[in-house]
Every structure is written in C-alpha cells, then in structure tokens.
Amino acid sequence: ARLFCSEEFTGKLEATFEGDYRLKLNLAPPLLARAQDAQGRPRKREFGPWMLNVFRVLARLKGLRGTAFDVFGYSAHRRAERAHIGEYEALVENVLAGLCAANHGIGLTLAALPAKVRGFDVVKEKGMAEAAQLKAQLLAEFHAAAATAAERAA
C-alpha cells in the first residue's frame, strides 16, 4: 500500500502515460478472495483507481502491525511468516556454532535462503516449502563438511 501511495509511484505513472488513462489494479485481497485460479492461488479481481484511497488508509495503519489490532496478522500466512523469523534466527545460530573453513560457502548459502522466498500468501508458501527442502539438504552438507574437516584435523 505504501508503495502505491508514494509520490515516486505517482511520478512514474505520470512520466510513463500521457493523456486520458485509467488505472486498474488486479488484486486478491485476503478478506475478499474466495475463489481460486487453476494454480490454487486466490483469484484476482480488478479494482479501479479508488483503491489508492484504501491503500492510503492502510499505509497510515502501519503502526498497528504486530499488535492485537492487526487484522491481517491473524491469517495463517502471517503466522507462518512470523514463525519463519524464529526459524531463521535458530538457523543462523546453528550455522555460527558449526562454522569452519570447510563449510563457509554452505553457511553463506544457508544464511541467504530467505532472499529466495518472495511473493505473497500462497506464492510465498511455495517458496518457503522449497527453501525448507533446500535448507535440510544444505544443513546435512554443512554438518558433513564440518565433520570431515574435524576428522582430517584429528
């Protein structure tokens, strides 16, 4: 919402389009998206430029994020995102505790995993699942490389 309300966005629109144009936004708001598309994602609906007013209100309500008044924070997707933060912190601690020269590269790859998770809701869910699989594989390689290095040193 903040991005669509920014002067930068408005400026880019005005620089890109001339004359009489109409802004249309294709969105799948969690409170309104009931039907699913062929890929199992919420079906998007078309909204007119009036939606920018809604975005302005949402942008002003940013301070409610993470509080009891955050109506979007109760969704399964948002709860999973918050849990993911704790999992990442635990992963970093695990990597730091076992880091050595032999597994340094794998450790960096593990630390960068969250950057691979993009999108919203079901798209993000899919990315989180793929990242979890990769994390398990990389952790096994990480610990195996550390064990091999320790055996060689002994």
Side-chain angles (χ1 to χ4, degrees), residues 102-118:
N103 63 11
H104 181 261
I106 300 169
L108 289 175
T109 303
L110 280 163
L113 276 178
K116 294 183 179 289
V117 179
R118 298 193 173 276

Side-chain angles (χ1 to χ4, degrees), residues 58-135:
L58 287 174
R60 282 190 225 117
L61 297 176
K62 179 185 176 191
L64 297 178
R65 277 196 198 152
T67 71
F69 300 107
D70 181 2
V71 294
F72 300 112
Y74 294 105
S75 74
H77 296 292
R78 299 303 166 263
R79 288 193 308 266
E81 286 174 356
R82 287 191 302 273
H84 193 63
I85 293 168
E87 291 170 10
Y88 179 70
E89 290 170 345
L91 171 66
V92 169
E93 288 178 16
N94 185 351
V95 167
L96 289 174
L99 194 62
C100 65
N103 63 11
H104 181 261
I106 300 169
L108 289 175
T109 303
L110 280 163
L113 276 178
K116 294 183 179 289
V117 179
R118 298 193 173 276
F120 294 96
D121 298 339
V122 293
V123 174
K124 184 175 267 188
E125 265 182 17
K126 182 181 176 194
M128 289 170 78
E130 291 171 358
Q133 284 183 324
L134 185 55
K135 177 177 107 174

Side-chain angles (χ1 to χ4, degrees), residues 1-12:
R2 288 186 322 277
L3 297 175
F4 282 109
C5 297
S6 72
E7 290 179 19
E8 181 182 347
F9 176 72
T10 306
K12 285 182 180 179

